[in-house]
Amino acid sequence: GENVEQHPSTLSVQEGDSAVIKCTYSDSASNYFPWYKQELGKRPQLIIDIRSNVGEKKDQRIAVTLNKTAKHFSLHITETQPEDSAVYFCAASISGGSQGNLIFGKGTKLSVKP
Amino acid sequence: DAGVTQSPTHLIKTRGQHVTLRCSPISGHKSVSWYQQVLGQGPQFIFQYYEKEERGRGNFPDRFSARQFPNYSSELNVNALLLGDSALYLCASSWKGGGPTEAFFGQGTRLTVV
């Protein structure tokens, strides 16, 4: 089955700096890669996603890149702010049919210091 | 539009007891998935239901079962509770009639087994 590895497990940056979180997946059939942000005690919130027919996607300060050949994808956050502090999870799934369960990485705790 | 709602929000049970968790998906969503999130880990897939049929099952024992009702709401049942079942149980809904959509999570049910 699919396995998703996520690095680093913790990341500390100064406000205004960039943060990069990397994930690798094992199943070449996976074609949908969402990123979720989870603040303490709250639900995971979808922040951005990418499908396998696209190499990069941006939404304001957040971007995701996908390398299908290497089977890895990354989250980039620019101009980080204290409110970006949270745990970020990457996930992979095979979407397009009626299935599509998400396989998550173990998470990255991002701390943005003012 | 209401988001995914789960009940109850918190629950304390004794080892050996049985528990039922409930989830109402976003209006129009036909798929409900259940995840277990242990503290400090990413969500782990338990079940997916689509149009009232089980479409996927994760690596969980038979003590875990679920069902989906005609209105697309869902229940997760866990029998013979163990201390290790203590976790945040998340429900996610997705899949509108026209095709797959992003998965949106409910706020979760925090289950504590004592």
Side-chain angles (χ1 to χ4, degrees):
Chain A
E2 176 64 279
N3 183 49
V4 176
E5 300 279 345
Q6 182 172 348
H7 299 279
S9 56
T10 61
L11 181 59
S12 182
V13 299
Q14 287 294 134
E15 183 177 359
D17 286 352
S18 295
V20 180
I21 303 170
K22 299 183 179 182
C23 290
T24 59
Y25 61 99
S26 60
D27 191 343
S28 57
S30 290
N31 58 4
Y32 176 63
F33 307 93
W35 286 87
Y36 286 85
K37 175 184 180 182
Q38 188 174 30
E39 297 175 20
L40 193 61
K42 297 193 175 180
R43 75 186 75 192
Q45 297 256 15
L46 179 70
I47 56 171
I48 196 167
D49 58 11
I50 192 167
R51 299 185 188 272
S52 61
N53 57 348
V54 176
E56 183 174 356
K57 184 176 178 181
K58 284 185 83 171
D59 183 4
Q60 298 183 339
R61 297 186 296 109
I62 293 174
V64 58
T65 58
L66 171 65
N67 183 327
K68 285 189 295 182
T69 303
K71 288 192 275 188
H72 66 70
F73 56 113
S74 301
L75 177 72
H76 304 252
I77 306 175
T78 58
E79 300 170 23
T80 53
Q81 301 166 4
E83 50 265 38
D84 294 329
S85 296
V87 179
Y88 291 80
F89 293 98
C90 62
S93 80
I94 302 170
S95 182
S98 59
Q99 292 186 335
N101 49 282
L102 297 169
I103 304 301
F104 284 85
K106 293 192 174 183
T108 296
K109 183 176 181 181
L110 174 64
S111 300
V112 180
K113 298 179 181 178
Chain B
D1 227 3
V4 180
T5 57
Q6 292 185 243
S7 63
T9 54
H10 295 84
L11 203 52
I12 299 175
K13 288 286 190 178
T14 304
R15 274 178 300 175
Q17 284 189 315
H18 161 270
V19 68
T20 298
L21 311 181
R22 295 178 175 84
C23 172
S24 292
I26 292 171
S27 177
H29 282 191
K30 299 186 176 185
S31 176
V32 168
S33 297
W34 288 94
Y35 293 83
Q36 180 195 67
Q37 187 176 26
V38 173
L39 199 62
Q41 299 289 321
Q44 270 202 293
F45 171 70
I46 311 174
F47 285 110
Q48 183 192 13
Y49 276 78
Y50 173 76
E51 287 282 16
K52 302 177 284 293
E53 290 187 6
E54 183 184 303
R55 295 294 183 148
R57 175 186 283 253
N59 188 24
F60 280 81
D62 291 344
R63 300 185 294 108
F64 289 75
S65 64
R67 54 180 176 167
Q68 187 177 33
F69 298 99
N71 66 353
Y72 301 109
S73 67
S74 178
E75 282 182 356
L76 175 70
N77 294 283
V78 188
N79 292 324
L81 286 166
L82 303 174
L83 295 178
D85 295 330
S86 296
L88 179 67
Y89 288 84
L90 294 162
C91 169
S93 81
S94 62
W95 194 274
K96 287 188 176 177
T101 65
E102 303 88 346
F104 295 93
F105 284 88
Q107 81 283 6
T109 294
R110 173 73 62 187
L111 172 65
T112 303
V113 182
V114 297

